[in-house]
Amino acid sequence: MTRKQTAVLYDDLFDRFDEGAFAFAVKESERYYALPDVRGKRCLDVEGGAGAFISRLFQAGALEVHGVDIGEKNCVSVLHWNKPWKDRLVVKQGSVESLEYPDGFFDFVHSGGVVHHLVQPEQGFEELARVTKPGGLTVIGVYGRGGLMPFTISVLRRIASLLPYSLVSRVVSWFFSNPYSQYLVLDFLYVPIVHRYREEDIRRWYEDAGYTDITRSRLHARYTYGSLSAHLFHGEGYITLQGRKR
Ligand SMILES: C[S@@+](CC[C@H](N)C(=O)[O-])C[C@H]1O[C@@H](n2cnc3c(N)ncnc32)[C@H](O)[C@@H]1O
């Protein structure tokens, strides 16, 4: 049921995207994570959305990209926004909890903003690790813990849970004409499950799965790192961590 609710929410949010919102999503993605060399590589992206990360992979020279998303409409969006590369793109509707690929199938595996919405997040990570080939890279992005902003969001989520989604969605659309902003607000308010982590929690997942070269992306996007005020406001920030599978 939770999985279905998650799919329905994101299908609605990404179905609103227009060219401007998609271009913005690509820019935002660039501000979180700098791609490694993916030229000639077989890649997996399990974050769907409208497929912004997938378009980055193709532009960086990926040989072939597979996209998995839980939402039916999101799969259509990914195909729509990545038409120029349709011959090298495979999109499947499915869950990160159980990926229909053999062990070690991909050189590069990415999933941003997904596993923290699962009932059992570590299971999602283990699947991503399973399909990464030895020597390949796995990257995940998850919400960090602590901070005033996540606390405020948790309070707003309680209030939103008392109000119908359709009403709040309409109000948010009045205030924000950009579909990307609508996505941000309604995602924060209505996604059914939110887990938050410390960097060391996620490092441990990688270590337990036998990864080396575990590094955190220090790029700045909506969060900044290092300053006291940022720490008070954003806590651990957004944690994008990558590792190389042994
Ligand atoms: C927060 S959005 C991330 C979007 C992306 N970071 C962007 O900005 O374009 C989460 C995405 O993961 C997908 N998703 C959620 N749960 C999933 C699951 N269990 N398996 C695969 N995809 C899932 C949603 O449908 C949605 O497209």
Side-chain angles (χ1 to χ4, degrees):
M1 185 58 190
T2 309
R3 207 193 272 177
K4 177 82 186 149
Q5 287 170 329
T6 305
V8 168
L9 172 72
Y10 287 119
D11 269 355
D12 175 42
L13 298 180
F14 291 109
D15 197 37
R16 304 171 184 213
F17 270 35
D18 53 20
E19 266 177 39
F22 183 73
F24 193 77
V26 174
K27 284 222 168 66
E28 277 288 284
S29 167
E30 287 166 356
R31 294 172 68 206
Y32 277 105
Y33 177 72
L35 285 179
D37 185 359
V38 292
R39 283 174 298 177
K41 301 270 164 69
R42 185 192 277 158
C43 306
L44 172 68
D45 175 68
V46 189
E47 83 160 18
F53 197 88
I54 289 175
S55 109
R56 288 183 64 201
L57 288 170
F58 278 120
Q59 289 185 46
L63 172 71
E64 168 185 324
V65 181
H66 294 241
V68 173
D69 196 287
I70 202 167
E72 191 178 346
K73 283 192 191 166
N74 279 341
C75 291
V76 176
S77 294
V78 167
L79 288 168
H80 172 78
W81 293 109
N82 287 281
K83 267 193 216 120
W85 301 285
K86 65 178 187 328
D87 296 342
R88 290 182 288 135
L89 171 62
V90 178
V91 178
K92 291 186 184 179
Q93 188 180 0
S95 175
V96 67
E97 295 149 297
S98 148
L99 295 166
E100 291 173 7
Y101 290 101
D103 295 359
F105 194 66
F106 295 102
D107 302 292
F108 178 78
V109 171
H110 168 265
S111 182
V114 178
V115 297
H116 54 208
H117 297 315
L118 301 177
V119 176
Q120 291 180 293
E122 201 167 349
Q123 184 187 338
F125 173 78
E126 284 164 3
E127 266 299 88
L128 295 165
R130 181 184 67 74
V131 299
T132 307
K133 72 168 57 153
L137 285 177
T138 308
V139 191
I140 65 164
V142 295
Y143 292 142
R145 271 167 71 161
L148 187 59
M149 168 128 159
F151 172 75
T152 308
I153 289 170
S154 69
V155 173
L156 292 175
R157 280 171 63 80
R158 279 167 196 256
I159 297 169
S161 70
L162 305 171
L163 302 168
Y165 174 78
S166 55
L167 172 70
V168 177
S169 169
R170 207 169 313 146
V171 172
V172 168
S173 307
W174 288 334
F175 279 99
F176 302 98
S177 58
N178 180 351
Y180 193 89
S181 306
Q182 294 171 20
Y183 146 59
L184 287 184
V185 175
L186 292 167
D187 178 10
F188 278 147
L189 293 180
Y190 281 104
V191 70
I193 295 178
V194 175
H195 296 279
R196 294 186 176 275
Y197 295 94
R198 292 167 305 170
E199 183 180 326
E200 64 210 67
D201 302 327
I202 307 302
R203 269 184 188 278
R204 200 163 312 118
W205 291 2
Y206 277 96
E207 284 161 5
D208 291 350
Y211 279 78
T212 58
D213 303 339
I214 304 163
T215 49
R216 180 171 177 178
S217 167
R218 289 274 159 190
L219 286 184
H220 291 201
R222 295 192 293 278
Y223 306 97
T224 52
Y225 305 99
S227 75
L228 179 62
S229 60
H231 193 72
L232 289 174
F233 197 65
H234 294 300
E236 295 254 336
Y238 193 80
I239 302 168
T240 302
L241 211 64
Q242 93 175 11
R244 188 171 297 283
K245 193 167 166 187
R246 254 199 274 259

mmCIF file of all heavy atoms in Angstrom, residues 3 6-7 10 14 25 46-52 68-71 74 94-97 112-114 117-118 180 183 187, ligand 1:
data_model
loop_
_atom_site.group_PDB
_atom_site.id
_atom_site.type_symbol
_atom_site.label_atom_id
_atom_site.label_comp_id
_atom_site.label_asym_id
_atom_site.label_seq_id
_atom_site.Cartn_x
_atom_site.Cartn_y
_atom_site.Cartn_z
ATOM 1 N N ARG A 3 3.892 1.476 -0.978
ATOM 2 C CA ARG A 3 4.598 1.537 -2.249
ATOM 3 C C ARG A 3 3.702 2.152 -3.327
ATOM 4 O O ARG A 3 4.137 2.968 -4.123
ATOM 5 C CB ARG A 3 4.977 0.107 -2.634
ATOM 6 C CG ARG A 3 6.215 0.050 -3.506
ATOM 7 C CD ARG A 3 6.351 -1.314 -4.089
ATOM 8 N NE ARG A 3 7.078 -2.232 -3.239
ATOM 9 C CZ ARG A 3 7.270 -3.522 -3.547
ATOM 10 N NH1 ARG A 3 6.786 -4.005 -4.661
ATOM 11 N NH2 ARG A 3 7.931 -4.299 -2.738
ATOM 12 N N THR A 6 3.337 5.854 -2.789
ATOM 13 C CA THR A 6 4.562 6.549 -3.224
ATOM 14 C C THR A 6 4.550 6.709 -4.747
ATOM 15 O O THR A 6 4.845 7.783 -5.285
ATOM 16 C CB THR A 6 5.806 5.740 -2.782
ATOM 17 O OG1 THR A 6 5.729 5.535 -1.378
ATOM 18 C CG2 THR A 6 7.096 6.470 -3.113
ATOM 19 N N ALA A 7 4.186 5.631 -5.426
ATOM 20 C CA ALA A 7 4.174 5.668 -6.895
ATOM 21 C C ALA A 7 3.159 6.692 -7.404
ATOM 22 O O ALA A 7 3.451 7.475 -8.316
ATOM 23 C CB ALA A 7 3.844 4.274 -7.428
ATOM 24 N N TYR A 10 4.491 10.374 -6.863
ATOM 25 C CA TYR A 10 5.530 10.824 -7.796
ATOM 26 C C TYR A 10 5.035 10.851 -9.243
ATOM 27 O O TYR A 10 5.463 11.707 -10.023
ATOM 28 C CB TYR A 10 6.784 9.963 -7.647
ATOM 29 C CG TYR A 10 7.542 10.269 -6.373
ATOM 30 C CD1 TYR A 10 7.742 9.308 -5.408
ATOM 31 C CD2 TYR A 10 8.028 11.552 -6.141
ATOM 32 C CE1 TYR A 10 8.427 9.598 -4.227
ATOM 33 C CE2 TYR A 10 8.710 11.848 -4.972
ATOM 34 C CZ TYR A 10 8.903 10.870 -4.026
ATOM 35 O OH TYR A 10 9.577 11.168 -2.861
ATOM 36 N N PHE A 14 5.791 14.326 -11.251
ATOM 37 C CA PHE A 14 6.681 14.432 -12.418
ATOM 38 C C PHE A 14 5.913 14.542 -13.730
ATOM 39 O O PHE A 14 6.454 15.018 -14.727
ATOM 40 C CB PHE A 14 7.687 13.279 -12.431
ATOM 41 C CG PHE A 14 8.682 13.399 -11.314
ATOM 42 C CD1 PHE A 14 8.654 12.542 -10.231
ATOM 43 C CD2 PHE A 14 9.631 14.412 -11.333
ATOM 44 C CE1 PHE A 14 9.561 12.674 -9.186
ATOM 45 C CE2 PHE A 14 10.537 14.556 -10.289
ATOM 46 C CZ PHE A 14 10.501 13.685 -9.215
ATOM 47 N N ALA A 25 15.733 20.474 -13.376
ATOM 48 C CA ALA A 25 16.067 19.223 -12.666
ATOM 49 C C ALA A 25 17.467 18.744 -13.053
ATOM 50 O O ALA A 25 18.223 18.262 -12.207
ATOM 51 C CB ALA A 25 15.031 18.142 -12.980
ATOM 52 N N VAL A 46 18.175 4.368 -10.666
ATOM 53 C CA VAL A 46 16.907 4.074 -10.003
ATOM 54 C C VAL A 46 16.524 5.310 -9.214
ATOM 55 O O VAL A 46 16.711 5.387 -8.004
ATOM 56 C CB VAL A 46 17.006 2.846 -9.064
ATOM 57 C CG1 VAL A 46 15.611 2.441 -8.577
ATOM 58 C CG2 VAL A 46 17.662 1.675 -9.758
ATOM 59 N N GLU A 47 16.075 6.300 -9.909
ATOM 60 C CA GLU A 47 15.546 7.486 -9.222
ATOM 61 C C GLU A 47 14.527 8.147 -10.114
ATOM 62 O O GLU A 47 13.837 9.053 -9.699
ATOM 63 C CB GLU A 47 16.646 8.478 -8.869
ATOM 64 C CG GLU A 47 17.064 9.414 -9.977
ATOM 65 C CD GLU A 47 17.774 10.658 -9.459
ATOM 66 O OE1 GLU A 47 18.242 10.646 -8.315
ATOM 67 O OE2 GLU A 47 17.833 11.633 -10.207
ATOM 68 N N GLY A 48 14.460 7.669 -11.309
ATOM 69 C CA GLY A 48 13.437 8.123 -12.242
ATOM 70 C C GLY A 48 13.193 9.610 -12.207
ATOM 71 O O GLY A 48 13.925 10.392 -12.794
ATOM 72 N N GLY A 49 12.159 9.997 -11.463
ATOM 73 C CA GLY A 49 11.693 11.360 -11.604
ATOM 74 C C GLY A 49 11.301 11.510 -13.060
ATOM 75 O O GLY A 49 10.670 10.623 -13.641
ATOM 76 N N ALA A 50 11.752 12.593 -13.665
ATOM 77 C CA ALA A 50 11.487 12.742 -15.092
ATOM 78 C C ALA A 50 12.655 12.210 -15.922
ATOM 79 O O ALA A 50 12.617 12.260 -17.150
ATOM 80 C CB ALA A 50 11.223 14.208 -15.401
ATOM 81 N N GLY A 51 13.698 11.748 -15.247
ATOM 82 C CA GLY A 51 14.825 11.174 -15.993
ATOM 83 C C GLY A 51 15.971 12.139 -16.200
ATOM 84 O O GLY A 51 16.757 11.993 -17.145
ATOM 85 N N ALA A 52 16.104 13.112 -15.309
ATOM 86 C CA ALA A 52 17.162 14.118 -15.452
ATOM 87 C C ALA A 52 18.553 13.480 -15.337
ATOM 88 O O ALA A 52 19.453 13.791 -16.121
ATOM 89 C CB ALA A 52 16.986 15.200 -14.379
ATOM 90 N N VAL A 68 14.969 2.389 -13.760
ATOM 91 C CA VAL A 68 13.902 1.658 -13.066
ATOM 92 C C VAL A 68 13.171 2.639 -12.172
ATOM 93 O O VAL A 68 13.803 3.390 -11.416
ATOM 94 C CB VAL A 68 14.476 0.497 -12.212
ATOM 95 C CG1 VAL A 68 13.378 -0.151 -11.369
ATOM 96 C CG2 VAL A 68 15.143 -0.542 -13.096
ATOM 97 N N ASP A 69 11.858 2.656 -12.276
ATOM 98 C CA ASP A 69 11.054 3.522 -11.408
ATOM 99 C C ASP A 69 9.770 2.790 -11.057
ATOM 100 O O ASP A 69 9.228 2.027 -11.857
ATOM 101 C CB ASP A 69 10.727 4.848 -12.101
ATOM 102 C CG ASP A 69 10.237 5.887 -11.102
ATOM 103 O OD1 ASP A 69 9.090 5.773 -10.607
ATOM 104 O OD2 ASP A 69 11.007 6.809 -10.791
ATOM 105 N N ILE A 70 9.288 3.093 -9.862
ATOM 106 C CA ILE A 70 8.099 2.411 -9.373
ATOM 107 C C ILE A 70 6.817 2.933 -10.034
ATOM 108 O O ILE A 70 5.805 2.250 -10.072
ATOM 109 C CB ILE A 70 8.040 2.541 -7.839
ATOM 110 C CG1 ILE A 70 7.189 1.456 -7.251
ATOM 111 C CG2 ILE A 70 7.570 3.913 -7.419
ATOM 112 C CD1 ILE A 70 7.352 1.343 -5.767
ATOM 113 N N GLY A 71 6.890 4.127 -10.581
ATOM 114 C CA GLY A 71 5.681 4.761 -11.133
ATOM 115 C C GLY A 71 5.527 4.489 -12.626
ATOM 116 O O GLY A 71 6.471 4.623 -13.399
ATOM 117 N N ASN A 74 5.899 7.733 -14.483
ATOM 118 C CA ASN A 74 7.296 8.178 -14.451
ATOM 119 C C ASN A 74 8.115 7.477 -15.525
ATOM 120 O O ASN A 74 9.009 8.073 -16.119
ATOM 121 C CB ASN A 74 7.924 7.920 -13.082
ATOM 122 C CG ASN A 74 7.547 8.997 -12.089
ATOM 123 O OD1 ASN A 74 7.125 10.072 -12.477
ATOM 124 N ND2 ASN A 74 7.693 8.701 -10.827
ATOM 125 N N GLY A 94 9.424 -0.931 -11.801
ATOM 126 C CA GLY A 94 9.773 -1.915 -10.779
ATOM 127 C C GLY A 94 10.292 -1.219 -9.546
ATOM 128 O O GLY A 94 10.364 0.012 -9.508
ATOM 129 N N SER A 95 10.647 -2.027 -8.555
ATOM 130 C CA SER A 95 11.128 -1.436 -7.303
ATOM 131 C C SER A 95 12.597 -1.756 -7.065
ATOM 132 O O SER A 95 13.066 -2.857 -7.384
ATOM 133 C CB SER A 95 10.317 -1.957 -6.117
ATOM 134 O OG SER A 95 10.879 -1.460 -4.917
ATOM 135 N N VAL A 96 13.261 -0.800 -6.461
ATOM 136 C CA VAL A 96 14.668 -0.978 -6.100
ATOM 137 C C VAL A 96 14.840 -2.129 -5.100
ATOM 138 O O VAL A 96 15.922 -2.683 -4.954
ATOM 139 C CB VAL A 96 15.239 0.348 -5.529
ATOM 140 C CG1 VAL A 96 14.593 0.690 -4.189
ATOM 141 C CG2 VAL A 96 16.748 0.299 -5.375
ATOM 142 N N GLU A 97 13.746 -2.514 -4.457
ATOM 143 C CA GLU A 97 13.838 -3.598 -3.468
ATOM 144 C C GLU A 97 14.083 -4.949 -4.140
ATOM 145 O O GLU A 97 14.506 -5.901 -3.490
ATOM 146 C CB GLU A 97 12.532 -3.687 -2.671
ATOM 147 C CG GLU A 97 12.264 -2.462 -1.833
ATOM 148 C CD GLU A 97 10.787 -2.196 -1.673
ATOM 149 O OE1 GLU A 97 10.100 -1.939 -2.700
ATOM 150 O OE2 GLU A 97 10.302 -2.256 -0.537
ATOM 151 N N GLY A 112 19.257 8.266 -6.369
ATOM 152 C CA GLY A 112 19.190 9.441 -5.475
ATOM 153 C C GLY A 112 17.764 9.681 -5.018
ATOM 154 O O GLY A 112 16.840 9.729 -5.833
ATOM 155 N N GLY A 113 17.596 9.816 -3.714
ATOM 156 C CA GLY A 113 16.276 10.183 -3.195
ATOM 157 C C GLY A 113 15.253 9.073 -3.249
ATOM 158 O O GLY A 113 14.057 9.344 -3.380
ATOM 159 N N VAL A 114 15.685 7.831 -3.137
ATOM 160 C CA VAL A 114 14.738 6.714 -3.238
ATOM 161 C C VAL A 114 14.762 5.805 -2.002
ATOM 162 O O VAL A 114 13.726 5.581 -1.377
ATOM 163 C CB VAL A 114 15.004 5.863 -4.509
ATOM 164 C CG1 VAL A 114 14.044 4.691 -4.581
ATOM 165 C CG2 VAL A 114 14.878 6.723 -5.754
ATOM 166 N N HIS A 117 12.863 6.336 1.188
ATOM 167 C CA HIS A 117 11.396 6.258 1.174
ATOM 168 C C HIS A 117 10.895 4.812 1.257
ATOM 169 O O HIS A 117 9.705 4.558 1.080
ATOM 170 C CB HIS A 117 10.842 6.900 -0.098
ATOM 171 C CG HIS A 117 11.132 8.368 -0.209
ATOM 172 N ND1 HIS A 117 10.971 9.233 0.846
ATOM 173 C CD2 HIS A 117 11.566 9.126 -1.248
ATOM 174 C CE1 HIS A 117 11.300 10.461 0.461
ATOM 175 N NE2 HIS A 117 11.668 10.425 -0.796
ATOM 176 N N LEU A 118 11.810 3.868 1.498
ATOM 177 C CA LEU A 118 11.409 2.458 1.566
ATOM 178 C C LEU A 118 11.095 2.044 2.998
ATOM 179 O O LEU A 118 11.636 2.626 3.942
ATOM 180 C CB LEU A 118 12.551 1.560 1.074
ATOM 181 C CG LEU A 118 13.053 1.776 -0.351
ATOM 182 C CD1 LEU A 118 14.237 0.851 -0.628
ATOM 183 C CD2 LEU A 118 11.939 1.530 -1.355
ATOM 184 N N TYR A 180 8.699 22.240 -10.851
ATOM 185 C CA TYR A 180 9.789 21.715 -10.014
ATOM 186 C C TYR A 180 9.573 22.117 -8.555
ATOM 187 O O TYR A 180 9.764 21.309 -7.637
ATOM 188 C CB TYR A 180 11.155 22.192 -10.518
ATOM 189 C CG TYR A 180 12.285 21.419 -9.882
ATOM 190 C CD1 TYR A 180 12.757 20.244 -10.461
ATOM 191 C CD2 TYR A 180 12.857 21.827 -8.680
ATOM 192 C CE1 TYR A 180 13.767 19.502 -9.858
ATOM 193 C CE2 TYR A 180 13.861 21.089 -8.071
ATOM 194 C CZ TYR A 180 14.312 19.931 -8.669
ATOM 195 O OH TYR A 180 15.301 19.188 -8.063
ATOM 196 N N TYR A 183 6.828 20.099 -7.057
ATOM 197 C CA TYR A 183 7.348 18.768 -6.703
ATOM 198 C C TYR A 183 8.070 18.805 -5.352
ATOM 199 O O TYR A 183 7.809 17.972 -4.471
ATOM 200 C CB TYR A 183 8.254 18.266 -7.839
ATOM 201 C CG TYR A 183 9.440 17.418 -7.413
ATOM 202 C CD1 TYR A 183 9.270 16.227 -6.713
ATOM 203 C CD2 TYR A 183 10.734 17.814 -7.726
ATOM 204 C CE1 TYR A 183 10.369 15.466 -6.333
ATOM 205 C CE2 TYR A 183 11.827 17.054 -7.349
ATOM 206 C CZ TYR A 183 11.639 15.885 -6.649
ATOM 207 O OH TYR A 183 12.717 15.137 -6.257
ATOM 208 N N ASP A 187 6.385 16.797 -2.358
ATOM 209 C CA ASP A 187 7.194 15.633 -1.999
ATOM 210 C C ASP A 187 7.493 15.673 -0.495
ATOM 211 O O ASP A 187 7.246 14.711 0.243
ATOM 212 C CB ASP A 187 8.485 15.676 -2.835
ATOM 213 C CG ASP A 187 9.450 14.535 -2.519
ATOM 214 O OD1 ASP A 187 9.065 13.605 -1.811
ATOM 215 O OD2 ASP A 187 10.595 14.584 -3.007
HETATM 216 C C1 LIG B 1 12.300 12.027 -4.787
HETATM 217 S S1 LIG B 1 12.085 11.376 -6.396
HETATM 218 C C2 LIG B 1 13.717 11.558 -7.026
HETATM 219 C C3 LIG B 1 13.713 12.329 -8.270
HETATM 220 C C4 LIG B 1 15.038 12.802 -8.799
HETATM 221 N N1 LIG B 1 16.014 12.970 -7.744
HETATM 222 C C5 LIG B 1 14.843 14.080 -9.559
HETATM 223 O O1 LIG B 1 14.915 15.141 -8.940
HETATM 224 O O2 LIG B 1 14.567 14.003 -10.768
HETATM 225 C C6 LIG B 1 11.979 9.679 -6.101
HETATM 226 C C7 LIG B 1 11.810 8.837 -7.373
HETATM 227 O O3 LIG B 1 11.987 7.479 -7.020
HETATM 228 C C8 LIG B 1 10.882 6.698 -7.456
HETATM 229 N N2 LIG B 1 10.684 5.628 -6.464
HETATM 230 C C9 LIG B 1 10.132 5.715 -5.234
HETATM 231 N N3 LIG B 1 10.137 4.526 -4.611
HETATM 232 C C10 LIG B 1 10.734 3.662 -5.489
HETATM 233 C C11 LIG B 1 11.049 2.281 -5.428
HETATM 234 N N4 LIG B 1 10.737 1.530 -4.368
HETATM 235 N N5 LIG B 1 11.677 1.728 -6.481
HETATM 236 C C12 LIG B 1 11.992 2.459 -7.580
HETATM 237 N N6 LIG B 1 11.693 3.775 -7.688
HETATM 238 C C13 LIG B 1 11.079 4.366 -6.666
HETATM 239 C C14 LIG B 1 9.728 7.666 -7.517
HETATM 240 O O4 LIG B 1 8.715 7.221 -8.386
HETATM 241 C C15 LIG B 1 10.426 8.931 -7.987
HETATM 242 O O5 LIG B 1 10.533 8.985 -9.389
#
